[in-house]
Amino acid sequence: MENYIPIIAAVTAFVITAVLGFPFIPYLKKLKYGQTILDEGPKWHKSKEGTPTMGGIMIVAGVIIGLIVAVICSFVFSGEFAAEIITAKKSVVFFAGIIFALLCCLIGLMDDYIKVVKKRNLGLTAKQKTVMQLLAALAYLITLALCGVDTTWIPFVGTVSITSGFGLVFWPISLIFIYFMVNAVNLTDGIDGLATTTTLIVCCSFMLICTAEAFHIIGVFAAAAAGACVGFILWNAKPAKVFMGDTGSMFLGGIVVALAFGCERPILLLPIGIVYICEALSVVLQVASFKLTGKRIFKMSPIHHHFEMSGWSEDKICIVFSLVTLLGCVPAVLASYIN
């Protein structure tokens, strides 16, 4: 029965997220929590204006309830998941990851609330977001250090210490990397279904990695996140009936980070998160090019909008970007199994 715990988590998260859409989306409409489409975006996106946002709350509910059910079932059947959750280090890493994802969600929720309820289109300022995200990331890393996380894994090198010598650079680099990745996932949420489909593949990859490396508790976390993504896709696929908003995209960003650091393989986010990274870098390059030369590299950034402006349909972008994500995930998963 223990082998079914990840499946239980995934199915529960899927059902909760999918079913919650029936009462929650009409409730968002009743509150008039509709998305405002900025003029800077593709003109045809204006037709989406008014679509309920902050639907990321559905994903949060799915993941949390999925994990609660998984914990209960695991204790009933006394399996590996239950054994890990009562192990000090592993349980702290697990719960720290959940709390970090929820903190990211809270920042996104504040941003959405200001934009949707207070009618300030830009939401939180860049400085406010940056400070809060860095503080959340710092608290997460300090927690990992205090609970005994003292190594990280590098392909073709193996496990290396991060508590002395050159290994100490791991911590400041990780702080910037976490900040970058959470915002990269947030930037990927620009067209119907894109963030959920790519993140679904990412979560499934971490499930396989955790299976290979015996990080059972983090694998269940990945399973719950994957199930919630599938449940949300039912409502978010084109034409979207609800948007996740920063509430959901920041939460998913926090989950992606927590999965990578939870299995002590954050370096694998480089190939696994290739789409996220390209999305964020396209914005950085676009801004830098315009400020330095007055010219733009892309028709619009993030890069999914460039392809959209080039005539690609939203469905085609989702499919191609998902395939690129899959291609990035394959070598990462294989490296874990070879290890």
Side-chain angles (χ1 to χ4, degrees), residues 194-326:
L194 181 58
T196 38
T197 51
T198 52
T199 304
L200 168 62
I201 296 170
V202 168
C203 290
C204 288
S205 298
F206 276 115
M207 285 172 57
L208 295 174
I209 292 169
C210 289
T211 300
E213 304 291 351
F215 286 94
H216 305 291
I217 196 170
I218 303 300
V220 173
F221 191 5
C229 283
V230 176
F232 194 73
I233 287 173
L234 298 179
W235 299 102
N236 187 237
K238 186 177 181 2
K241 298 177 180 62
V242 67
F243 297 140
M244 69 173 69
D246 285 358
T247 304
S249 59
M250 291 283 191
F251 181 64
L252 292 181
I255 286 178
V256 168
V257 165
L259 295 179
F261 280 80
C263 65
E264 298 179 11
R265 279 143 181 77
I267 197 170
L268 291 182
L269 271 182
L270 295 177
I272 290 177
I274 183 64
V275 165
Y276 303 143
I277 293 170
C278 288
E279 293 276 18
L281 288 180
S282 69
V283 174
V284 173
L285 292 172
Q286 185 85 322
V287 173
S289 176
F290 187 75
K291 286 187 175 181
L292 293 173
T293 68
K295 296 180 181 179
R296 292 179 172 86
I297 300 174
F298 308 102
K299 294 181 179 180
M300 186 176 291
S301 66
I303 199 168
H304 58 258
H305 285 321
H306 170 80
F307 288 106
E308 199 176 5
M309 297 291 284
S310 299
W312 286 29
S313 68
E314 293 188 39
D315 288 336
K316 181 178 180 179
I317 294 172
C318 283
I319 292 171
V320 172
F321 279 39
S322 294
L323 289 174
V324 171
T325 300
L326 184 61

Side-chain angles (χ1 to χ4, degrees), residues 110-128:
M110 291 169 61
D111 194 41
D112 285 336
Y113 181 83
I114 292 171
K115 287 187 286 189
V116 176
V117 180
K118 297 297 183 180
K119 305 300 181 184
R120 282 168 45 194
N121 287 346
L122 298 179
L124 292 170
T125 65
K127 183 177 180 180
Q128 289 171 330

